[in-house]
Amino acid sequence: MIEVLTGLAAFISILIAVTFYRVLVGPTLYDRLLGVGAIGTFSVLLLALIGFIYERPSGFLDLAITYAILNFVGVVAIAKFLDLDSRDSSEPAGGSKE
Amino acid sequence: MTLMDWLALPFIVGGAFFLFVSAVGLIRLPDFFSRAHAVGKSETLGSLLILIGLMLHHGFALESGQLLLVVIFVAVTNPTGIHALSRAALRAGVDIWVHPRDRGMRVRAGDEINEPQGAEAGASSEEGISDTGDAR
């Protein structure tokens, strides 16, 4: 089972590298933030898997819970900030509508 | 591998499949909202399947309770965060991709109507008719 979990951790690392493409070249700011949120969720899974691979899951699962909370708070805070920002200014941020 | 590991293996493989689908959707789909759709549903389901597989692998212990906390938290917060991001993007007016078949429809209330694409199709069909007429 350790081999399966190690292979899955390597697979998730590859997925993180692929997702980072969207963070680098995303056409809008929101695409980059979406990629950052996806990488945060992948990192939670990677932390849990590393805990089970090294057979010391308790501490790593605490880290995973903390990382999930920080990821959620970060994404929602930036989304709310951008929402207020685009509502205050007359010029829309991401496109040419209105 | 014990029996519980064989029970956990389909969950882990299915979760890896859904994570792969979400990464492909994040790279390949054409606009922000469809990418948010790929990440918001597929990645949540893949994460839940992998965490449930880890719970089955570990058995009944304290760490499974911690994994249950992670499962509940990911299931609640991942769609919530992506929904907040999508709402901010919608209010900011990020461009929405429209299939070429659906040009000429109104995407959002208040938008101008897209360029109709029927002119080329009509011209080509008329051309075909005239071609057959010449052949006769």
Side-chain angles (χ1 to χ4, degrees):
Chain A
M1 198 63 187
I2 294 293
E3 294 83 9
V4 175
L5 295 184
T6 311
L8 184 61
F11 181 66
I12 288 178
S13 306
I14 293 171
L15 289 186
I16 286 176
V18 168
T19 309
F20 201 70
Y21 169 81
R22 186 52 69 196
V23 183
L24 284 180
V25 306
T28 65
L29 175 62
Y30 300 97
D31 287 308
R32 296 174 202 265
L33 283 174
L34 191 67
V36 169
I39 287 177
T41 309
F42 283 141
S43 307
V44 172
L45 287 176
L46 199 57
L47 275 173
L49 281 173
I50 286 171
F52 279 97
I53 287 168
Y54 288 129
E55 294 177 345
R56 202 176 52 184
S58 184
F60 278 99
L61 283 175
D62 285 339
L63 287 180
I65 293 173
T66 310
Y67 206 82
I69 292 171
L70 283 178
N71 186 28
F72 171 66
V73 170
V75 168
V76 169
I78 294 175
K80 287 294 175 186
F81 171 72
L82 289 174
D83 202 6
L84 290 177
D85 199 32
S86 69
R87 229 186 292 170
D88 284 342
S89 65
S90 60
E91 198 66 21
S96 60
K97 294 295 186 283
E98 292 171 355
Chain B
M1 286 174 57
T2 64
L3 175 65
M4 292 305 275
D5 286 349
W6 284 109
L7 275 179
L9 198 59
F11 283 91
I12 288 179
V13 173
F17 170 72
F18 278 106
L19 288 184
F20 178 70
V21 167
S22 83
V24 170
L26 187 63
I27 295 302
R28 293 286 298 163
L29 285 176
D31 71 338
F32 168 75
F33 296 100
S34 48
R35 286 175 206 137
H37 153 85
V39 174
K41 286 189 285 199
S42 219
E43 194 182 25
T44 307
L45 180 59
S47 308
L48 295 190
L49 284 178
I50 284 182
L51 291 172
I52 288 171
L54 285 179
M55 285 172 72
L56 288 177
H57 161 67
H58 195 68
F60 190 76
L62 176 65
E63 285 80 13
S64 294
Q66 282 178 314
L67 273 173
L68 187 64
L69 278 181
V70 180
V71 164
I72 292 172
F73 205 81
V74 167
V76 171
T77 59
N78 202 11
T80 309
I82 291 170
H83 175 258
L85 199 58
S86 302
R87 193 175 60 170
L90 187 69
R91 284 183 179 164
V94 173
D95 286 334
I96 297 177
W97 181 78
V98 180
H99 194 279
R101 188 187 58 217
D102 296 333
R103 298 283 156 80
M105 294 180 181
R106 199 186 300 275
V107 181
R108 284 181 292 201
D111 282 354
E112 69 271 15
I113 294 179
N114 285 299
E115 282 288 318
Q117 298 285 314
E120 296 172 4
S124 65
S125 68
E126 281 178 13
E127 212 173 354
I129 288 172
S130 69
D131 278 342
T132 56
D134 286 341
R136 282 171 192 170

